Every structure is written in structure tokens, then in C-alpha cells.
Amino acid sequence: MTINPVEITKNQLQLDVTMEAAEIQDLLKKELKKTAQKAKIKGFRPGKTPVNLIKNMYGTQVYVDVINKNLFDKAQEYLKDNDINTFSNFVINDVNEDYKFNIDKVEDFSASLVFVKEASLEDLDFDYSGKLTYYLPEISQERLDGQIKSIRYNIGGMAESSEPAGEESLISFDSVQLENGDVKEGGHTMTFNYSVFNIQSDDLNKNIIGKKIGETFDINLKDFTDNEATLRNQILKLDSEEQNDTFDYEFRVTISNIQEKVLADMDEEFFTRLDPRGNIKSEEDLIRLLKEDYHAYYRISSNMLFFHEFKEMALTETQLDLTDDFYKKFFTQVSQLDDHALQYHLDEYKEDFKWAWIKDIMDKEYGIQVSRSDVNTALIREINEYFGGANLPENIYQKFLEDAYKDNRHIARKKDEIYMAKLASFLIDEHGIQVVNIPTEEYNEKIEELNKKYEKQAEHHHHDHNHGHEHNDEHKHDGDFEVEEVEAKDADNTSGEEA
């Protein structure tokens, strides 16, 4: 067998392979003999089938198999011996279509195999200076002040007040049941506490604000809440025997106590109570952690923005010199796409291929990999957040993971999230990518703009040509990502009022 390399382009190599007739004839004899030894033919004992019978029955198929196997095996050996690394599978570029697989008259066989060479760091000589920015929304001073105030109130607790009730007051009500506007003889009585802030009825809320200790007025308890459990347990304080009784919710209440939140001083005791572990020792520490918590809420969106910007830069700055003929043969022979898909989506597939080529060497050189352990950690964090940070029994985690891995799209999205986070972290740390805080409104505009690009891509890819086409998943390289709409979030609706 002779192999001659031909460099079609910088990135595309062709191997012209010729198998001489004598070599093919020798391989055929060996393969026919092995087939005869393994064949189970009626009338012959195992291993005793005549070779000529196998030749007559299966000769042509054995001939084809010998050519295919040795053609690709020898090509692979050639690449290994010459330290040539490939990115793509072989594509058959040229073959004698009139070749006769006549087992009684074996002839020389020749074919041309084409592949894409693996990228190198020289191919990916990116210039990061001033071209990439990692965006995060900046937390407003008003929001920071509000969060710190809330924390100070939580640490300070409640204290009795002689002032009229306000929006944040906790009020104690001495209550007696009414009947036809008068105190009901033998009616239900109780004392309950309720926060003005949590009162459901706006009218009642406004009526109570400004009232003082000792003031009495009539009320329907359902104006506090329409939650039956809250009414019977927290307000009426019914025992088990009374739970099923029918109640008239008209009551006369008297304010017996008013408590107000106390704004704790930000002293040493405050920070010790806030964080006994000692990580928060000053107002500066608290502000830093609040900002980190705020930014953590937006990390997935920021990583997506950064990844999109990085991918566009990488595709623009990297040259992958391949012929259209190679692309068409690759997507037809390897990915098994039909003519319709190539007609309408060839440019998209070419870009996917180029990005996968870039990502392949980039991941090796940068060491960015997403392991199953990474995915498990992210999934467990997800379930912990769902249950408010509680540690669950191990069997619950295992069941959750088993169920999660049944949803391939969910796992793919999780892998994408992890990869983008690792890529952003690496480039920020190793290449000094600037992290910039911008107003939340401007940040959300960037998210919205990115979503529109994704929507446009999706519309183009799923347009109706009045005839469908099949997309084989083999064309999807490891470098492809699920197109997932990024959530534009409202800073006023984020969680984390407390540190």
C-alpha cells in the first residue's frame, strides 16, 4: 500500500491511498480462510467449510470489507507514524466508482481520504486586549441601604413602644366575639399578635396605622387574612376540639401592646451575632458580601453574555481554511444530513464545525473540562436552594440525581452553564479580562439583545420550507451549546434581603 499526502489547504490534508492487487489478493485469501473456519454452513462441520464455497457465497462482501478496513486502518497508522493529529473523521474525497469487485480478477484499488488537522495554539493566537468585557449589574446604593437596614432591624429585634402604630408595628389585640354588633354572651375571646405590614386589607391597614394603645374598634378577622389556617391557629387560637366549629368572624378588638423594630447599632456585638464565624467584622465586609450575593444571582446570565462575546471574537479572529466541497461531503457522509439541510443551513453547520475545532484545542490547552462530579455538585446545589439550603438525606440526593440524568436537555444545559463559568473564570484570572459593573437597566438591555439574536437564529433554523428534513445529531460537536433564553432579571425582585 502506498500513501501520498497532499496538503489541500493549511488545515485540510488529503491522503492518496493505493492498494496493489497482490496485496489485496493476499488479504482476501487470509480473510476467506478465517471466514470459512468460523462459518456455520448446513452439511459441513464447524471449521470444515470449503474456502471456495465461502468465496462463491460471500466473496464480493469479503472483498469490500477487506478494502474498507485496510484502507482506513492503514491511513490511521500513517497519521500516527507521522505525528499528525486529526480533528475530523475521514471523508472519502475521491474513489473509482467504476471499480469492479470481481474476486476472480483483483485489480489495484485507489482512493483519496480527506480530514481536518487538529488546531494548534498558533491557530488560536487570540488578542484579548480591550476586546472582551465581563459585565455584572451594579447594586444601587438605595438597595444596599435597604438591605443593611433590614439586617439591622433583624438583629435589633422588637421593643415595646408608646408611639402610635406604624407600618412595621407588631400589635397585640385583646379580642371578644360579637353578635349583631354587641359582645356575644359566652363568645370566643383571645389575644393575638399581628404585624401591620402583613394585614391583607388595605382599608384595615390604613385604619390601624396611627392608632394608640387602648383604642377599641370592631373588625372582621378575615380582613387580616383569608388563610383559614392562619385565622384558626394564629388569630383565633382554637384548640383541637374547636377547630371544626363554625365561627362568626366579627370581633371587637382593643390594642393592648405595640412593638416596633429596633435598629441595631453596627458594633462588635452586631457583627458577632450576624456572623459567629467571624467572616463579617465591619460594614465594609457586609457590603462586600451583599454585593457578591447580588452578583451571584446574575452569574449565569453574565457568563452567557461573556461566552457569546468570546465565541464571536474567536470565530472572527480564527481562520479555518476548508473547501466547501469538504464541508458538503463531511456533513453528508459523517453527519448524514440531507440536501435540504445543506441547502438552507450549510453556513450554520460550517460555523458550528469551526467553533468545535477552536474549542477542541482551547479546552486541551486551557484545561477546561466539565466532569460528572461538576454536574452532580451543581445539581445538588440546585436541590438545596429549592429546599431553602437544608441538608437532605443521602438517599434523597441519589434519587434526585437519578431522575435528573434522565432529562438529557437539562443535563446539557447544566454542562453548558458550568463550562461557561469555568471559561469566564479562567480568562478573567489568566488573561486579565476586565470585570465591569453597569446599571441594571443597561445590563438587562444587553440580555434582551442577546435573546433577540437567539430568537432570530431559532426562527431561521426552524423555518418552514413546506417539506421537512432530518437532522442527525452526529453533526453536533462537543463544542455546540443549547440555545437557551437568558433571563433578564429585575434587581428589585431578587432575593437575599439578609446576609
Side-chain angles (χ1 to χ4, degrees), residues 446-471:
K446 289 184 177 293
I447 296 295
E448 184 63 27
E449 183 180 345
L450 181 59
N451 282 334
K452 287 179 180 178
K453 288 182 180 179
Y454 284 154
E455 289 170 6
K456 188 175 181 181
Q457 289 174 4
E459 288 173 4
H460 174 68
H461 191 74
H462 296 106
H463 65 293
D464 181 14
H465 297 306
N466 297 320
H467 51 289
H469 57 272
E470 294 296 327
H471 282 209

PDB file of all heavy atoms in Angstrom, residues 446-471:
ATOM      1  N   LYS A 446     -28.723  44.453  27.491  1.00  0.00           N
ATOM      2  CA  LYS A 446     -27.774  43.539  26.844  1.00  0.00           C
ATOM      3  C   LYS A 446     -28.345  42.118  26.805  1.00  0.00           C
ATOM      4  O   LYS A 446     -28.205  41.402  25.811  1.00  0.00           O
ATOM      5  CB  LYS A 446     -26.433  43.547  27.579  1.00  0.00           C
ATOM      6  CG  LYS A 446     -25.618  44.825  27.401  1.00  0.00           C
ATOM      7  CD  LYS A 446     -24.264  44.721  28.084  1.00  0.00           C
ATOM      8  CE  LYS A 446     -23.420  45.948  27.847  1.00  0.00           C
ATOM      9  NZ  LYS A 446     -23.019  46.085  26.406  1.00  0.00           N
ATOM     10  N   ILE A 447     -28.982  41.713  27.892  1.00  0.00           N
ATOM     11  CA  ILE A 447     -29.603  40.394  27.938  1.00  0.00           C
ATOM     12  C   ILE A 447     -30.713  40.295  26.893  1.00  0.00           C
ATOM     13  O   ILE A 447     -30.829  39.303  26.173  1.00  0.00           O
ATOM     14  CB  ILE A 447     -30.184  40.103  29.339  1.00  0.00           C
ATOM     15  CG1 ILE A 447     -29.064  40.041  30.388  1.00  0.00           C
ATOM     16  CG2 ILE A 447     -30.979  38.811  29.340  1.00  0.00           C
ATOM     17  CD1 ILE A 447     -28.106  38.906  30.202  1.00  0.00           C
ATOM     18  N   GLU A 448     -31.518  41.324  26.797  1.00  0.00           N
ATOM     19  CA  GLU A 448     -32.617  41.342  25.841  1.00  0.00           C
ATOM     20  C   GLU A 448     -32.087  41.284  24.402  1.00  0.00           C
ATOM     21  O   GLU A 448     -32.640  40.572  23.547  1.00  0.00           O
ATOM     22  CB  GLU A 448     -33.466  42.600  26.037  1.00  0.00           C
ATOM     23  CG  GLU A 448     -34.702  42.679  25.154  1.00  0.00           C
ATOM     24  CD  GLU A 448     -35.689  41.556  25.433  1.00  0.00           C
ATOM     25  OE1 GLU A 448     -35.715  41.037  26.564  1.00  0.00           O
ATOM     26  OE2 GLU A 448     -36.416  41.186  24.499  1.00  0.00           O
ATOM     27  N   GLU A 449     -31.018  42.004  24.140  1.00  0.00           N
ATOM     28  CA  GLU A 449     -30.406  41.994  22.809  1.00  0.00           C
ATOM     29  C   GLU A 449     -29.891  40.595  22.454  1.00  0.00           C
ATOM     30  O   GLU A 449     -30.060  40.119  21.327  1.00  0.00           O
ATOM     31  CB  GLU A 449     -29.259  43.006  22.760  1.00  0.00           C
ATOM     32  CG  GLU A 449     -28.607  43.132  21.398  1.00  0.00           C
ATOM     33  CD  GLU A 449     -27.472  44.154  21.397  1.00  0.00           C
ATOM     34  OE1 GLU A 449     -27.393  44.961  22.362  1.00  0.00           O
ATOM     35  OE2 GLU A 449     -26.675  44.135  20.445  1.00  0.00           O
ATOM     36  N   LEU A 450     -29.283  39.921  23.427  1.00  0.00           N
ATOM     37  CA  LEU A 450     -28.782  38.568  23.202  1.00  0.00           C
ATOM     38  C   LEU A 450     -29.945  37.609  22.946  1.00  0.00           C
ATOM     39  O   LEU A 450     -29.870  36.743  22.061  1.00  0.00           O
ATOM     40  CB  LEU A 450     -27.965  38.098  24.409  1.00  0.00           C
ATOM     41  CG  LEU A 450     -27.353  36.698  24.324  1.00  0.00           C
ATOM     42  CD1 LEU A 450     -26.425  36.589  23.117  1.00  0.00           C
ATOM     43  CD2 LEU A 450     -26.587  36.372  25.609  1.00  0.00           C
ATOM     44  N   ASN A 451     -31.037  37.756  23.696  1.00  0.00           N
ATOM     45  CA  ASN A 451     -32.200  36.900  23.490  1.00  0.00           C
ATOM     46  C   ASN A 451     -32.780  37.065  22.088  1.00  0.00           C
ATOM     47  O   ASN A 451     -33.219  36.105  21.465  1.00  0.00           O
ATOM     48  CB  ASN A 451     -33.275  37.201  24.537  1.00  0.00           C
ATOM     49  CG  ASN A 451     -32.959  36.585  25.886  1.00  0.00           C
ATOM     50  OD1 ASN A 451     -32.263  35.586  25.959  1.00  0.00           O
ATOM     51  ND2 ASN A 451     -33.448  37.184  26.947  1.00  0.00           N
ATOM     52  N   LYS A 452     -32.772  38.287  21.591  1.00  0.00           N
ATOM     53  CA  LYS A 452     -33.290  38.534  20.246  1.00  0.00           C
ATOM     54  C   LYS A 452     -32.428  37.838  19.201  1.00  0.00           C
ATOM     55  O   LYS A 452     -32.942  37.316  18.201  1.00  0.00           O
ATOM     56  CB  LYS A 452     -33.352  40.041  19.977  1.00  0.00           C
ATOM     57  CG  LYS A 452     -34.472  40.749  20.733  1.00  0.00           C
ATOM     58  CD  LYS A 452     -34.473  42.242  20.447  1.00  0.00           C
ATOM     59  CE  LYS A 452     -35.604  42.933  21.221  1.00  0.00           C
ATOM     60  NZ  LYS A 452     -35.595  44.410  20.994  1.00  0.00           N
ATOM     61  N   LYS A 453     -31.116  37.814  19.427  1.00  0.00           N
ATOM     62  CA  LYS A 453     -30.230  37.106  18.498  1.00  0.00           C
ATOM     63  C   LYS A 453     -30.533  35.621  18.491  1.00  0.00           C
ATOM     64  O   LYS A 453     -30.591  34.986  17.444  1.00  0.00           O
ATOM     65  CB  LYS A 453     -28.763  37.334  18.904  1.00  0.00           C
ATOM     66  CG  LYS A 453     -28.248  38.738  18.639  1.00  0.00           C
ATOM     67  CD  LYS A 453     -26.783  38.864  19.023  1.00  0.00           C
ATOM     68  CE  LYS A 453     -26.278  40.273  18.748  1.00  0.00           C
ATOM     69  NZ  LYS A 453     -24.846  40.424  19.141  1.00  0.00           N
ATOM     70  N   TYR A 454     -30.738  35.063  19.694  1.00  0.00           N
ATOM     71  CA  TYR A 454     -31.059  33.643  19.787  1.00  0.00           C
ATOM     72  C   TYR A 454     -32.399  33.338  19.136  1.00  0.00           C
ATOM     73  O   TYR A 454     -32.558  32.315  18.464  1.00  0.00           O
ATOM     74  CB  TYR A 454     -31.078  33.206  21.254  1.00  0.00           C
ATOM     75  CG  TYR A 454     -29.708  33.047  21.871  1.00  0.00           C
ATOM     76  CD1 TYR A 454     -29.525  33.197  23.248  1.00  0.00           C
ATOM     77  CD2 TYR A 454     -28.598  32.749  21.105  1.00  0.00           C
ATOM     78  CE1 TYR A 454     -28.273  33.048  23.823  1.00  0.00           C
ATOM     79  CE2 TYR A 454     -27.347  32.597  21.666  1.00  0.00           C
ATOM     80  CZ  TYR A 454     -27.188  32.749  23.031  1.00  0.00           C
ATOM     81  OH  TYR A 454     -25.954  32.596  23.592  1.00  0.00           O
ATOM     82  N   GLU A 455     -33.369  34.208  19.353  1.00  0.00           N
ATOM     83  CA  GLU A 455     -34.688  34.003  18.762  1.00  0.00           C
ATOM     84  C   GLU A 455     -34.603  34.045  17.240  1.00  0.00           C
ATOM     85  O   GLU A 455     -35.240  33.240  16.550  1.00  0.00           O
ATOM     86  CB  GLU A 455     -35.657  35.073  19.269  1.00  0.00           C
ATOM     87  CG  GLU A 455     -36.055  34.899  20.733  1.00  0.00           C
ATOM     88  CD  GLU A 455     -36.808  36.100  21.271  1.00  0.00           C
ATOM     89  OE1 GLU A 455     -37.106  37.017  20.458  1.00  0.00           O
ATOM     90  OE2 GLU A 455     -37.088  36.148  22.478  1.00  0.00           O
ATOM     91  N   LYS A 456     -33.797  34.973  16.720  1.00  0.00           N
ATOM     92  CA  LYS A 456     -33.639  35.095  15.272  1.00  0.00           C
ATOM     93  C   LYS A 456     -32.985  33.842  14.706  1.00  0.00           C
ATOM     94  O   LYS A 456     -33.393  33.335  13.659  1.00  0.00           O
ATOM     95  CB  LYS A 456     -32.798  36.327  14.952  1.00  0.00           C
ATOM     96  CG  LYS A 456     -32.741  36.652  13.469  1.00  0.00           C
ATOM     97  CD  LYS A 456     -32.000  37.960  13.232  1.00  0.00           C
ATOM     98  CE  LYS A 456     -31.970  38.296  11.751  1.00  0.00           C
ATOM     99  NZ  LYS A 456     -31.236  39.570  11.496  1.00  0.00           N
ATOM    100  N   GLN A 457     -31.970  33.324  15.416  1.00  0.00           N
ATOM    101  CA  GLN A 457     -31.307  32.095  14.974  1.00  0.00           C
ATOM    102  C   GLN A 457     -32.296  30.930  14.969  1.00  0.00           C
ATOM    103  O   GLN A 457     -32.315  30.127  14.039  1.00  0.00           O
ATOM    104  CB  GLN A 457     -30.140  31.770  15.900  1.00  0.00           C
ATOM    105  CG  GLN A 457     -28.956  32.718  15.763  1.00  0.00           C
ATOM    106  CD  GLN A 457     -27.877  32.455  16.807  1.00  0.00           C
ATOM    107  OE1 GLN A 457     -27.984  31.521  17.589  1.00  0.00           O
ATOM    108  NE2 GLN A 457     -26.860  33.299  16.836  1.00  0.00           N
ATOM    109  N   ALA A 458     -33.109  30.845  16.030  1.00  0.00           N
ATOM    110  CA  ALA A 458     -34.064  29.746  16.134  1.00  0.00           C
ATOM    111  C   ALA A 458     -35.108  29.828  15.029  1.00  0.00           C
ATOM    112  O   ALA A 458     -35.484  28.815  14.432  1.00  0.00           O
ATOM    113  CB  ALA A 458     -34.735  29.767  17.504  1.00  0.00           C
ATOM    114  N   GLU A 459     -35.585  31.040  14.735  1.00  0.00           N
ATOM    115  CA  GLU A 459     -36.574  31.217  13.673  1.00  0.00           C
ATOM    116  C   GLU A 459     -35.997  30.811  12.328  1.00  0.00           C
ATOM    117  O   GLU A 459     -36.653  30.154  11.526  1.00  0.00           O
ATOM    118  CB  GLU A 459     -37.039  32.674  13.621  1.00  0.00           C
ATOM    119  CG  GLU A 459     -37.935  33.075  14.789  1.00  0.00           C
ATOM    120  CD  GLU A 459     -38.234  34.557  14.797  1.00  0.00           C
ATOM    121  OE1 GLU A 459     -37.794  35.248  13.834  1.00  0.00           O
ATOM    122  OE2 GLU A 459     -38.880  35.029  15.736  1.00  0.00           O
ATOM    123  N   HIS A 460     -34.733  31.184  12.095  1.00  0.00           N
ATOM    124  CA  HIS A 460     -34.104  30.846  10.819  1.00  0.00           C
ATOM    125  C   HIS A 460     -33.924  29.342  10.691  1.00  0.00           C
ATOM    126  O   HIS A 460     -34.141  28.762   9.630  1.00  0.00           O
ATOM    127  CB  HIS A 460     -32.747  31.535  10.711  1.00  0.00           C
ATOM    128  CG  HIS A 460     -31.959  31.129   9.504  1.00  0.00           C
ATOM    129  ND1 HIS A 460     -32.352  31.463   8.230  1.00  0.00           N
ATOM    130  CD2 HIS A 460     -30.817  30.395   9.379  1.00  0.00           C
ATOM    131  CE1 HIS A 460     -31.482  30.957   7.357  1.00  0.00           C
ATOM    132  NE2 HIS A 460     -30.540  30.313   8.035  1.00  0.00           N
ATOM    133  N   HIS A 461     -33.555  28.690  11.787  1.00  0.00           N
ATOM    134  CA  HIS A 461     -33.274  27.261  11.731  1.00  0.00           C
ATOM    135  C   HIS A 461     -34.541  26.427  11.613  1.00  0.00           C
ATOM    136  O   HIS A 461     -34.534  25.357  11.017  1.00  0.00           O
ATOM    137  CB  HIS A 461     -32.504  26.834  12.992  1.00  0.00           C
ATOM    138  CG  HIS A 461     -31.948  25.455  12.894  1.00  0.00           C
ATOM    139  ND1 HIS A 461     -30.851  25.157  12.113  1.00  0.00           N
ATOM    140  CD2 HIS A 461     -32.342  24.282  13.451  1.00  0.00           C
ATOM    141  CE1 HIS A 461     -30.577  23.859  12.209  1.00  0.00           C
ATOM    142  NE2 HIS A 461     -31.466  23.309  13.020  1.00  0.00           N
ATOM    143  N   HIS A 462     -35.645  26.919  12.190  1.00  0.00           N
ATOM    144  CA  HIS A 462     -36.876  26.129  12.200  1.00  0.00           C
ATOM    145  C   HIS A 462     -37.920  26.659  11.224  1.00  0.00           C
ATOM    146  O   HIS A 462     -39.093  26.375  11.366  1.00  0.00           O
ATOM    147  CB  HIS A 462     -37.474  26.102  13.616  1.00  0.00           C
ATOM    148  CG  HIS A 462     -36.579  25.416  14.593  1.00  0.00           C
ATOM    149  ND1 HIS A 462     -35.863  26.101  15.537  1.00  0.00           N
ATOM    150  CD2 HIS A 462     -36.258  24.103  14.736  1.00  0.00           C
ATOM    151  CE1 HIS A 462     -35.157  25.240  16.254  1.00  0.00           C
ATOM    152  NE2 HIS A 462     -35.380  24.031  15.788  1.00  0.00           N
ATOM    153  N   HIS A 463     -37.454  27.446  10.224  1.00  0.00           N
ATOM    154  CA  HIS A 463     -38.430  27.976   9.278  1.00  0.00           C
ATOM    155  C   HIS A 463     -39.055  26.838   8.478  1.00  0.00           C
ATOM    156  O   HIS A 463     -38.509  25.756   8.362  1.00  0.00           O
ATOM    157  CB  HIS A 463     -37.770  28.974   8.324  1.00  0.00           C
ATOM    158  CG  HIS A 463     -36.740  28.346   7.436  1.00  0.00           C
ATOM    159  ND1 HIS A 463     -35.561  27.841   7.926  1.00  0.00           N
ATOM    160  CD2 HIS A 463     -36.731  28.114   6.108  1.00  0.00           C
ATOM    161  CE1 HIS A 463     -34.852  27.332   6.937  1.00  0.00           C
ATOM    162  NE2 HIS A 463     -35.532  27.474   5.828  1.00  0.00           N
ATOM    163  N   ASP A 464     -40.235  27.123   7.903  1.00  0.00           N
ATOM    164  CA  ASP A 464     -40.995  26.080   7.209  1.00  0.00           C
ATOM    165  C   ASP A 464     -40.761  26.188   5.707  1.00  0.00           C
ATOM    166  O   ASP A 464     -41.110  27.184   5.089  1.00  0.00           O
ATOM    167  CB  ASP A 464     -42.494  26.244   7.516  1.00  0.00           C
ATOM    168  CG  ASP A 464     -43.323  25.170   6.844  1.00  0.00           C
ATOM    169  OD1 ASP A 464     -42.740  24.175   6.369  1.00  0.00           O
ATOM    170  OD2 ASP A 464     -44.544  25.339   6.802  1.00  0.00           O
ATOM    171  N   HIS A 465     -40.144  25.153   5.138  1.00  0.00           N
ATOM    172  CA  HIS A 465     -39.963  25.102   3.692  1.00  0.00           C
ATOM    173  C   HIS A 465     -41.033  24.246   3.020  1.00  0.00           C
ATOM    174  O   HIS A 465     -40.886  23.851   1.864  1.00  0.00           O
ATOM    175  CB  HIS A 465     -38.586  24.511   3.356  1.00  0.00           C
ATOM    176  CG  HIS A 465     -37.450  25.351   3.849  1.00  0.00           C
ATOM    177  ND1 HIS A 465     -37.305  26.671   3.546  1.00  0.00           N
ATOM    178  CD2 HIS A 465     -36.398  25.025   4.655  1.00  0.00           C
ATOM    179  CE1 HIS A 465     -36.210  27.142   4.110  1.00  0.00           C
ATOM    180  NE2 HIS A 465     -35.649  26.174   4.792  1.00  0.00           N
ATOM    181  N   ASN A 466     -42.064  23.915   3.756  1.00  0.00           N
ATOM    182  CA  ASN A 466     -43.142  23.062   3.274  1.00  0.00           C
ATOM    183  C   ASN A 466     -42.696  21.630   3.025  1.00  0.00           C
ATOM    184  O   ASN A 466     -43.395  20.853   2.403  1.00  0.00           O
ATOM    185  CB  ASN A 466     -43.750  23.632   1.976  1.00  0.00           C
ATOM    186  CG  ASN A 466     -44.373  24.989   2.201  1.00  0.00           C
ATOM    187  OD1 ASN A 466     -45.008  25.211   3.228  1.00  0.00           O
ATOM    188  ND2 ASN A 466     -44.174  25.907   1.256  1.00  0.00           N
ATOM    189  N   HIS A 467     -41.468  21.287   3.485  1.00  0.00           N
ATOM    190  CA  HIS A 467     -41.034  19.896   3.441  1.00  0.00           C
ATOM    191  C   HIS A 467     -39.947  19.727   4.484  1.00  0.00           C
ATOM    192  O   HIS A 467     -38.996  20.475   4.525  1.00  0.00           O
ATOM    193  CB  HIS A 467     -40.541  19.488   2.057  1.00  0.00           C
ATOM    194  CG  HIS A 467     -39.522  20.424   1.465  1.00  0.00           C
ATOM    195  ND1 HIS A 467     -39.846  21.674   1.027  1.00  0.00           N
ATOM    196  CD2 HIS A 467     -38.192  20.261   1.264  1.00  0.00           C
ATOM    197  CE1 HIS A 467     -38.757  22.269   0.549  1.00  0.00           C
ATOM    198  NE2 HIS A 467     -37.742  21.434   0.684  1.00  0.00           N
ATOM    199  N   GLY A 468     -40.131  18.746   5.317  1.00  0.00           N
ATOM    200  CA  GLY A 468     -39.236  18.582   6.460  1.00  0.00           C
ATOM    201  C   GLY A 468     -37.900  17.989   6.070  1.00  0.00           C
ATOM    202  O   GLY A 468     -37.686  17.513   4.962  1.00  0.00           O
ATOM    203  N   HIS A 469     -36.967  18.031   7.013  1.00  0.00           N
ATOM    204  CA  HIS A 469     -35.688  17.369   6.824  1.00  0.00           C
ATOM    205  C   HIS A 469     -35.200  16.848   8.156  1.00  0.00           C
ATOM    206  O   HIS A 469     -35.483  17.415   9.199  1.00  0.00           O
ATOM    207  CB  HIS A 469     -34.646  18.309   6.210  1.00  0.00           C
ATOM    208  CG  HIS A 469     -34.402  19.551   6.995  1.00  0.00           C
ATOM    209  ND1 HIS A 469     -35.141  20.693   6.811  1.00  0.00           N
ATOM    210  CD2 HIS A 469     -33.515  19.834   7.974  1.00  0.00           C
ATOM    211  CE1 HIS A 469     -34.708  21.645   7.620  1.00  0.00           C
ATOM    212  NE2 HIS A 469     -33.714  21.146   8.334  1.00  0.00           N
ATOM    213  N   GLU A 470     -34.475  15.764   8.100  1.00  0.00           N
ATOM    214  CA  GLU A 470     -33.956  15.141   9.311  1.00  0.00           C
ATOM    215  C   GLU A 470     -32.597  15.722   9.650  1.00  0.00           C
ATOM    216  O   GLU A 470     -31.755  15.900   8.780  1.00  0.00           O
ATOM    217  CB  GLU A 470     -33.822  13.623   9.095  1.00  0.00           C
ATOM    218  CG  GLU A 470     -35.153  12.916   8.897  1.00  0.00           C
ATOM    219  CD  GLU A 470     -36.026  13.009  10.134  1.00  0.00           C
ATOM    220  OE1 GLU A 470     -35.478  13.029  11.248  1.00  0.00           O
ATOM    221  OE2 GLU A 470     -37.259  13.073   9.985  1.00  0.00           O
ATOM    222  N   HIS A 471     -32.364  15.975  10.942  1.00  0.00           N
ATOM    223  CA  HIS A 471     -31.065  16.455  11.409  1.00  0.00           C
ATOM    224  C   HIS A 471     -30.439  15.373  12.273  1.00  0.00           C
ATOM    225  O   HIS A 471     -30.917  15.114  13.362  1.00  0.00           O
ATOM    226  CB  HIS A 471     -31.235  17.737  12.247  1.00  0.00           C
ATOM    227  CG  HIS A 471     -31.464  18.938  11.395  1.00  0.00           C
ATOM    228  ND1 HIS A 471     -31.098  20.190  11.757  1.00  0.00           N
ATOM    229  CD2 HIS A 471     -32.030  19.058  10.170  1.00  0.00           C
ATOM    230  CE1 HIS A 471     -31.436  21.065  10.807  1.00  0.00           C
ATOM    231  NE2 HIS A 471     -32.011  20.389   9.841  1.00  0.00           N
TER     232      HIS A 471
END
